[in-house]
Structure formats: C-alpha cells, structure tokens
Amino acid sequence: MKAHSSRVGVFVRIRPTAHFSQDLIECLPDGQTVNIHHRKDSRKPEDSRKSQLSSWSFRLAGILQDVSQEELYARVCRRVVLGALDGYNGTLMCFGQTGAGKTYTMTGSTESYKQRGIIPRALQEVFQEMDKRTEYTFSVHLSYLEIYNETLVDLLSSLQGSPQLSPRGMVVVEEPSRGVFIRGLSLHPVHSEEEALNLLFEGEMNRIIGSHALNRSSSRSHCIFTVHIESHSRTLSVAKYVTSKLNLVDLAGSERLGKTWSEGQMFKEAMYINKSLSFLEQAILALADRRRDHVPFRQSKLTHALKDSLGGNCNTVLVANIYGEAAQIEETLSTLRFASRMMCVRTNPAVNEHMDPAAQIKKLQKDLHMLKEELSFYNTLVNRPRIMYEPLSEAQLAEIHSQVQRYLKGNLEEISIISIRQVQAVFAQFKLAVQEQEQKVKAQLCQTFNLMEKDQRANTAAIKEWDTRDSTEDVEALRSSSTKASTKMSRDKQSQSKRQGEGSPVSKKRLESASKSKLNSVQTPEREQESQEPETESQDSQESQPPGNEPFNPDSTPSKAEAFEDFKVGRGSKINRILKENKAVLLERCSLLRQLTEEVNAVKREIDCITATIQQHETRGGQGQYMVMEGMPVLQEPDGTSLMQLRELKALYRQRYEVLRGVKAEVNYCQHLVDQCRVRLLSEFENWYKKSFLVPEEELDITIDRTLEQGEDNQRLLPDSSESFYNARYRMLKRRTALSFTPVQRNSSARSGQRRLPPILPVS
Ligand code: ADP
Ligand code: MG
C-alpha cells in the first residue's frame, strides 16, 4: 500500500480570542505561514530603547484559526484515522502551553456534541468505516495511558476485567513481534462507537479524579488514548492480517519553568514535564537528522511509549496549540519552534502485515487439495491413467523395484513414466542397484585382497630381507612366513644356518657383479621384458625345469615358498632377473652415495677447520694480542696459502656436492625401479599361484579348452593371455605325463580328488 505522507503533518491552531495580537502574530493568506514579530523587553530601563523587534517565519502544513472542531478533524485527522484502518500506525499529538486548547482539540468540550474533539470523532469514524468495509472483519481494543511525573497510570484500570497491576507497575516493553507496548496496561475490546465513548469518558473521569486526589491540574500529565485495530480480509488470504495503533496524545503544558512554579510539587511537576518534552524534542531532532542512526527514545517514558508512533512507518500529525494574545507570545514562539522542528521529521508509513501460521497451513492445505483436483480433472481430459499424487505405497514401491530389476537384466524393454513420484522412485531403485553392485564387487575384492594382502605381507617381508641376503635366504623366509607358527622357529634356525653357510659368498658375488653394472643399464621392467622377450623365453624354458629333474607329481601342492622359488626360476624369471639387476645397481649406487657423502663431509670439515683458524686469527689480530704458550705462538698469522687452500677446498666441495646430488637422484630412481619390479614379481607370482593351485579343475579345464582352441601362436601375441597359454601347456603336459604315471601315483591322485593342481611351469 502507498504511504500517505512522507513528512509529519504539523498544524497550528490558534485559540480564539477577542484580543488577537495581529501585530505580533501574522497569518499569511497561504494558510500555511505564520510570522511572529516579537520585541524582546529589556529588564533594565536604560536599555529599553535598545530593544529590537525580531521576526520569525514558520511555514507549516496549515494554520487553523477560527476553525471548527469538525473542520479541524477533516483537515488534520481523517486521513490518519482512515490510514489506521488500512493498517498504518497513526499518531495525533497536541502540543502547547497550558490553556492553549490541547484538551479541547483532542477530547473537546464535554458539554456540546458539536464541540467534541478528535478522539470522539475518530472513534465515530472508525466504527462507521468498519461498517462500510464489509470485506474485512475488524477488532478494536482501547487503552488509555497517563504519564505523570514519569509514572505510568492506566486510566481504564477501574473497569472490570482489567489486569491486576504487577508489583513493579507498568513498563514500556519492546518485542520484535509486537513492537512497543506497555506491559500491564489494560486493553479493552469495543464493538461499537458507544462502547468506545464510554471508555473514553471513563478514562477522562479517572483522569480528573486522579488529578483531584493528587491535588494537581490535569494538564500536568501526558495522556495517550490508543485505538488498537486488527483487520482480516474476508476475501483474500486468511493467513494475512493487518494491525495498527492510533495514538491520540494530549501532551502536558509545554510552558517553561516560571517563578510561580519554583516551589514544592509544582516545581517537581514542571521539572518532569520540561524534561520529558525536551526529550521528546531531542528524539524529534534525531528523527529529523537522517545521518543519525540512534534516536534516544528511552530517555523518558513518553518517548519510549511513542517510539513506534513518532516517525518511521507511522502517519504522524502534530497540532501546535497557541494563544492569540500578545502576553503569551514567548510561549507561542517556543511552541512554533517545536512545531517547525517536527516538520523536519520524515516518515515512511508502512502497513503492519502479519501472518497467522495456523491459518496459513489451512490455506495451503486447501490450495493443495484444489490443485490435486485440478490435475485429476486435466488427466481425465487427456486420457491419462489415474495418477496417485499421494506417497507411493509399499506394494507400488515393490512393483517399481521389480520393474527396475527386470529392466537391468534385460527382461523389460522400458519403464513407462507415469508420475513424478514414480520417476523419483525408479531413480532411487537404480541408485540402490548400483550401490548393491558396488558392495558385491567390494566384498569380492576384499576377499581376494585380504588373501593377497596376507600373503603379500609375508612375501614382502621375505623380499625385504632378500635385499641384504641371498635369494636362498629369501625363499627360506618366504617359506617360514607361509608355514604355521609351530614350525616357524625351527625353520628360522635352518635359515640362519643356511645364511651363515651359503649366504655370504653369493652375496659377495652379487655385489661384485652389481658394482660392475652402470646406472644407464637400469631398465624399467616393461622395457626389459619387451626387448628381451625371445631370449627370456629360451631362458625360461631352460630354467623352468624342476630342480634335479624331479618327476612331476600332480598330486602334491607345493608350499607358497617353494612355489615362489619355482616361479622365480620359471615363469617369473624375467622379472626376477630384472629385479636382481636393478637391485645390484641400487646397491652399487648406494655404496657410491655413502662414499661420496663421506668425502663431501671430510672436505666440509677441512673447510670449517681452516675457516675457524682464519677467523680466530682475525679476532686476535683485531685485539692486538698474540697468545704464546711455551714460547710458541698458538696462532699463526694466516698467509696466502691458507686462503688459497680454503678456496680450493670450497671449489672441491661444490664439485663433489654436485656429484653427490646426481648420485642421490640416481639412488632414488633405482629404488623406485626396484620397488616396481618387486611389486610386479609378487603380483605375477600371486596370479600364477592362484591360477595354478587354487582354481578348481573344472574351471581350469574350461579355460584350458578355450585356450587350446585358439592356438599357441595367437596366445603369444596377446600379453594378457599368457596365463591361458601356460594353462594350455599344463593341460598338454598333464595329458602327456598321465600316461607315464605309475599305478600308485594314479591311485593317490584319485584319492585326493585332485581339487588342487600342481604348479604350472612353462616348458619348451
Ligand atoms: P489545555 O489542554 O491546552 O491546557 P484546554 O483545552 O483545556 O487547554 O483549553 C482551555 C480552555 O480553552 C477550555 O475551556 C477550552 O474550552 C477553551 N478552548 C481552547 N481552545 C478552544 C477553541 N479552539 N475553541 C473554543 N474554546 C477553546
Ligand atoms: Mg489539557
């Protein structure tokens, strides 16, 4: 909704008088400007000639002189009252010195209906307008607050149903949802103009009684009569509703502290009034100054209570009541100054809209129901099958699951799309299927990996030892790690004895051969394999013979350690050889690295020594002292030789360091190659071992048969089919050797059921 105004509406009302001072108060014909001409009286008689006439001009929203109550209401108040019915907060304030006509303007004369003031007229307008606006339901509550000497008084507390005042009395409270309100102030629902007027008169009566009881004038207090309006649209959203407050404020007399009030209660009252009105002025100045982000509302009860009713989103109107007589010209001037300041306050009135959550839910449910009906109507028109918009039932979900499964297996050509819910459920099923598949593969891998990992750990440990020992020891270590714990100890002993007896010569031999090899002879396992393929084949065929040409026994499954030994000389001989060579190079580079490190360190030590000597000499020289011990100088003067030597050493250091760096890089590279070879040897061995000994014969037979069908030459060309190739060979070998088996061997083979196969060794 549009804002009604962007400024506070300030009007001046001049109390009718027979002695209107036209000389001092000049109302211009524009109806908005009032000029005040005032000659300041000097107290000293000799200065009276010096007194100067000063003029002030005030341009306000309107000057109301000899204006009836009705006209004043129409010009000043109507739009604010109507705005309150639209949801805008509104504030109407009367400001001025005592007797200037504030109460007359706000409440009016109680004797004449015609002279009734803003409040009764506003109440009448509110109820009349409510009756007119049939599309809304309204609820109206009234409250009447008096602020006397910074004390809050509920002028309607005498009425039935008013809350019992808390021991702390009433307090001004701010809450985000409700804004500013007075806790403890009674709010009275009213349904008609009459009811509302009754409350107004009740409050007025209480105000008069209170002032008599306290022996004070009613104009010594501020009074705020508030109309609280809440409206709900009957046609639009039921969840949305608007609220507003219409504050009708009759302020206490603004006259300054005079001589007559210099004592007792009146002095105290005047102090409080002056204070609260000056705080009101400060708040208004702060509101008028757009650069200020803090407005001191909390300084007085009045400003705090009116916090959301002065500027901001509120329609605010000030009526400045002034006397027309010359005697009151100073107070008139002061009132007009206040009024002109109030003119500077800008407002951005906004409707106070709220949402009722319960009503909102109801409305959304209704909307949803309507949309579903609309959809089903549309579906019927386009001949779509009946679609469920409710969440899918368990049976429907099961059906979708089966559809997806059939679709994945290829038994269902397509899944027809029916509804968004169904599409989502289908996707969910796909996701589930993928996850299940992943789990399956993972479990399989885990099974294999665990086995491999266990064996590999043992093998790796063995191979590591092999780095420093003979290959025989390595086999022994592998064997011992593969056997049970009970036999581990005895085997370790055996391996130890072997290590002592055989290990050293072989190691030496290997080191010797390793020292001869060069770094550039190091090759990656792949390249080596490719380049030496024919040679390896022939080597393999030679090395693949079981040691001592032992008869081939298909019944016995060798231990892993034995199999590994066989593998290294047979199927894995290539990679084993490469590994050996690379390790030899690595060893050689390592020893070179050690040697170079020692040399570099030695040079560094020499440099340090010479540097220290030179430094010591320089220090002593600088101090002009030579320490002599037993007649010999401890330090000799450094000659050119020392410096030369230092230079040479430094150059040597740099040179050796460079070499060292290069060798270090070579060592790293060799180490990488060795690791690669090691991993490959182990993985190839694992594959080979698994295929050879752990695969059931039936499966192997299928593999072998297929392999045989494809032919030997073809297999050689395919790197990944090398195992099939060896399996085929084994099959052939098996057929051959079966013929030469002894009856005993045959029987034993039959007894064991032959689930496990002997090692597959390549034969020429
Ligand atoms: P205030 O509340 O500012 O102290 P009141 O409203 O009580 O002053 O006015 C003082 C007297 O002046 C009252 O008797 C009131 O009837 C009278 N009066 C004030 N303004 C007018 C006016 N515009 N027309 C007629 N009488 C007025
Ligand atoms: Mg009054």
Side-chain angles (χ1 to χ4, degrees):
M1 254 180 245
K2 270 190 184 172
H4 285 272
S5 168
S6 59
R7 270 178 191 266
V8 170
V10 181
F11 295 85
V12 173
R13 189 178 202 191
I14 305 167
R15 185 184 146 176
T17 173
H19 311 284
F20 184 71
S21 177
Q22 284 190 336
D23 296 349
L24 303 184
I25 304 168
E26 184 193 1
C27 297
L28 297 191
D30 66 356
Q32 286 185 298
T33 313
V34 58
N35 294 333
I36 303 293
H37 309 287
H38 177 43
R39 189 183 295 277
K40 265 210 162 182
D41 288 338
S42 178
R43 286 177 187 177
K44 294 176 189 171
E46 63 270 23
D47 290 344
S48 62
R49 280 174 288 123
K50 290 180 191 170
S51 63
Q52 283 184 341
L53 186 76
S54 303
S55 295
W56 292 266
S57 183
F58 300 95
R59 191 179 158 82
L60 306 154
I63 311 295
L64 309 168
Q65 192 177 16
D66 298 325
V67 166
S68 68
Q69 295 282 63
E70 191 180 352
E71 194 185 337
L72 176 124
Y73 178 81
R75 282 184 64 184
V76 174
C77 309
R78 180 160 287 138
R79 68 179 183 86
V80 181
V81 174
L82 294 177
L85 284 162
D86 290 335
Y88 296 94
N89 286 344
T91 299
L92 285 157
M93 276 195 300
C94 286
F95 178 87
Q97 75 181 107
T98 301
K102 296 184 297 296
T103 308
Y104 178 80
T105 304
M106 196 48 74
T107 317
S109 166
T110 44
E111 288 142 28
S112 156
Y113 179 72
K114 228 182 154 186
Q115 287 182 38
R116 69 194 190 284
I118 290 170
I119 299 176
R121 283 172 197 272
L123 290 172
Q124 187 182 39
E125 179 108 59
V126 164
F127 284 98
Q128 280 179 358
E129 194 64 23
M130 274 163 55
D131 287 344
K132 279 189 216 162
R133 300 187 184 193
T134 48
E135 68 276 26
Y136 292 94
T137 55
F138 290 94
S139 66
V140 180
H141 289 75
L142 299 180
S143 66
Y144 206 170
L145 175 76
E146 186 181 31
I147 304 171
Y148 173 69
N149 287 0
E150 284 298 278
T151 309
L152 303 173
V153 181
D154 184 355
L155 291 175
L156 298 177
S157 63
S158 57
L159 289 169
Q160 254 191 344
S162 296
Q164 289 298 307
L165 216 61
S166 73
R168 285 184 299 153
M170 285 185 285
V171 272
V172 186
V173 184
E174 282 180 67
E175 274 180 15
S177 54
R178 286 182 67 181
V180 178
F181 67 100
I182 318 294
R183 184 174 289 152
L185 179 67
S186 61
L187 269 179
H188 301 270
V190 281
H191 307 94
S192 66
E193 184 193 340
E194 200 184 320
E195 264 187 76
L197 287 173
N198 280 341
L199 291 188
L200 171 67
F201 297 145
E202 176 81 22
E204 286 296 315
M205 185 61 72
N206 286 337
R207 190 182 181 188
I208 293 161
I209 294 167
S211 58
H212 279 299
L214 292 166
N215 189 26
R216 65 171 164 89
S217 153
S218 63
S219 71
R220 311 309 314 144
S221 64
H222 310 292
C223 276
I224 305 171
F225 184 86
T226 309
V227 185
H228 304 258
I229 304 168
E230 187 175 313
S231 71
H232 293 254
S233 169
R234 288 184 206 269
T235 49
L236 302 171
S237 162
V238 284
K240 220 190 296 181
Y241 66 98
V242 292
T243 59
S244 60
K245 276 190 293 185
L246 179 64
N247 291 305
L248 305 164
V249 189
D250 183 1
L251 293 167
S254 62
E255 55 277 2
R256 285 164 302 167
L257 201 62
K259 251 186 182 178
T260 44
W261 293 348
S262 57
E263 280 176 357
Q265 187 186 346
M266 284 183 86
F267 176 77
K268 195 179 159 193
E269 281 176 351
M271 281 289 289
Y272 274 117
I273 294 163
N274 276 6
K275 235 176 159 181
S276 65
L277 287 177
S278 87
F279 285 141
L280 177 67
E281 201 164 348
Q282 280 179 27
I284 283 160
L285 280 173
L287 281 167
D289 188 350
R290 297 199 140 207
R291 288 164 302 174
R292 283 182 67 170
D293 49 6
H294 175 69
V295 179
F297 284 116
R298 285 162 173 260
Q299 292 185 116
S300 73
K301 295 270 167 46
L302 176 72
T303 47
H304 201 185
L306 292 175
K307 186 182 170 182
D308 59 358
S309 308
L310 285 174
N313 68 348
C314 183
N315 280 318
T316 308
V317 167
L318 178 81
V319 178
N321 292 94
I322 57 167
Y323 280 91
E325 284 89 352
Q328 311 297 334
I329 196 70
E330 282 203 18
E331 287 301 334
T332 298
L333 194 56
S334 157
T335 302
L336 289 171
R337 280 195 186 116
F338 179 85
S340 66
R341 279 178 200 138
M342 194 69 179
M343 273 287 280
C344 301
V345 178
R346 289 199 162 262
T347 59
N348 295 302
V351 173
N352 301 300
E353 267 184 353
H354 305 271
M355 289 297 235
D356 178 1
Q360 200 174 10
I361 290 168
K362 259 189 191 170
K363 184 195 167 290
L364 289 173
Q365 281 174 338
K366 202 176 152 190
D367 285 355
L368 190 70
H369 180 73
M370 226 175 71
L371 286 168
K372 277 182 185 172
E373 301 238 304
E374 189 77 33
L375 259 176
S376 68
F377 177 67
Y378 171 77
N379 289 336
T380 320
L381 283 180
V382 295
N383 277 334
R384 282 176 77 192
R386 197 173 165 269
I387 296 157
M388 293 284 289
Y389 297 107
E390 308 303 324
L392 295 170
S393 66
E394 292 216 343
Q396 285 171 317
L397 285 171
E399 172 56 25
I400 288 170
H401 173 77
S402 117
Q403 273 184 1
V404 169
Q405 290 301 320
R406 278 182 285 146
Y407 180 77
L408 286 171
K409 283 175 188 158
N411 300 335
L412 184 69
E413 209 153 279
E414 60 181 32
I415 300 170
S416 47
I417 291 167
I418 300 165
S419 69
I420 294 293
R421 274 192 198 276
Q422 179 248 357
V423 170
Q424 283 172 340
V426 166
F427 274 118
Q429 286 301 326
F430 273 121
K431 194 176 177 183
L432 205 70
V434 169
Q435 281 171 348
E436 276 173 7
Q437 197 58 33
E438 269 178 4
Q439 286 297 322
K440 244 186 232 174
V441 171
K442 214 171 165 186
Q444 277 173 1
L445 279 173
C446 264
Q447 215 179 353
T448 319
F449 181 70
N450 277 345
L451 182 70
M452 279 174 71
E453 197 186 44
K454 216 169 90 185
D455 295 339
Q456 211 161 353
R457 263 204 303 272
N459 293 354
T460 311
I463 296 284
K464 267 187 183 164
E465 281 181 63
W466 190 33
D467 283 348
T468 49
R469 284 187 235 147
D470 186 86
S471 63
T472 330
E473 291 169 26
D474 173 57
V475 173
E476 196 56 46
L478 187 69
R479 185 178 291 143
S480 64
S481 65
S482 305
T483 51
K484 287 178 185 173
S486 57
T487 56
K488 193 175 179 293
M489 290 293 285
S490 61
R491 283 187 186 271
D492 280 353
K493 274 179 194 166
Q494 279 175 25
S495 81
Q496 265 179 3
S497 65
K498 276 191 176 181
R499 220 175 286 144
Q500 282 158 7
E502 304 162 13
S504 307
V506 183
S507 289
K508 267 183 201 163
K509 221 168 97 187
R510 280 182 52 193
L511 280 171
E512 273 166 25
S513 66
S515 65
K516 281 172 198 163
S517 63
K518 294 277 176 268
L519 180 68
N520 55 16
S521 71
V522 176
Q523 289 178 33
T524 57
E526 287 80 9
R527 268 189 291 144
E528 181 80 357
Q529 201 177 10
E530 279 165 25
S531 60
Q532 295 189 358
E533 194 68 34
E535 187 199 323
T536 314
E537 280 297 314
S538 64
Q539 261 189 2
D540 279 355
S541 57
Q542 283 163 17
E543 289 172 10
S544 64
Q545 293 295 332
N549 274 339
E550 284 166 19
F552 178 73
N553 183 1
D555 288 343
S556 62
T557 302
S559 75
K560 226 169 181 182
E562 285 165 356
F564 185 57
E565 192 57 25
D566 289 342
F567 178 76
K568 278 195 298 186
V569 294
R571 170 76 183 89
S573 64
K574 276 180 296 180
I575 185 69
N576 187 36
R577 184 170 47 76
I578 296 164
L579 176 66
K580 275 184 189 175
E581 282 172 11
N582 284 348
K583 276 203 292 189
V585 176
L586 177 66
L587 276 173
E588 184 252 335
R589 293 283 111 175
C590 278
S591 72
L592 185 61
L593 184 70
R594 268 196 297 277
Q595 192 188 322
L596 276 168
T597 311
E598 272 168 27
E599 281 174 19
V600 167
N601 284 339
V603 175
K604 181 76 181 47
R605 275 196 297 276
E606 264 187 83
I607 289 171
D608 288 347
C609 191
I610 292 174
T611 312
T613 315
I614 292 168
Q615 272 175 359
Q616 259 182 335
H617 176 79
E618 278 172 2
T619 319
R620 306 274 178 193
Q623 288 168 354
Q625 288 175 13
Y626 286 94
M627 291 290 289
V628 179
M629 197 180 280
E630 295 167 3
M632 289 292 287
V634 173
L635 299 164
Q636 285 180 357
E637 200 176 346
D639 49 17
T641 334
S642 304
L643 293 170
M644 273 272 274
Q645 208 181 348
L646 186 66
R647 261 200 298 277
E648 278 168 15
L649 278 169
K650 278 186 178 173
L652 185 67
Y653 177 82
R654 273 194 289 274
Q655 186 202 353
R656 297 232 171 129
Y657 187 76
E658 279 307 306
V659 179
L660 179 83
R661 255 195 1 194
V663 174
K664 215 171 184 178
E666 285 173 13
V667 165
N668 286 340
Y669 184 71
C670 290
Q671 184 65 56
H672 171 74
L673 289 178
V674 166
D675 291 344
Q676 253 192 339
C677 289
R678 206 177 268 157
V679 170
R680 193 164 155 193
L681 177 72
L682 284 170
S683 68
E684 281 189 11
F685 166 70
E686 283 298 335
N687 279 342
W688 172 80
Y689 187 80
K690 226 166 82 185
K691 286 271 158 105
S692 308
F693 303 108
L694 305 178
V695 179
E697 197 184 14
E698 297 82 10
E699 280 180 31
L700 189 65
D701 284 347
I702 295 162
T703 322
I704 290 166
D705 291 345
R706 280 193 193 153
T707 313
L708 282 169
E709 277 169 30
Q710 286 169 2
E712 203 167 285
D713 291 342
N714 250 351
Q715 293 303 308
R716 281 195 186 196
L717 293 170
L718 301 166
D720 286 338
S721 56
S722 57
E723 277 158 28
S724 307
F725 167 78
Y726 287 113
N727 286 332
R729 286 226 165 150
Y730 164 70
R731 186 82 182 155
M732 187 181 69
L733 189 69
K734 198 178 140 192
R735 273 205 305 276
R736 266 192 218 159
T737 48
L739 295 169
S740 58
F741 277 167
T742 59
V744 180
Q745 280 169 329
R746 280 187 193 206
N747 288 342
S748 66
S749 166
R751 269 201 309 278
S752 67
Q754 211 171 328
R755 296 296 298 172
R756 301 263 179 244
L757 294 172
I760 301 163
L761 298 170
V763 288
S764 55

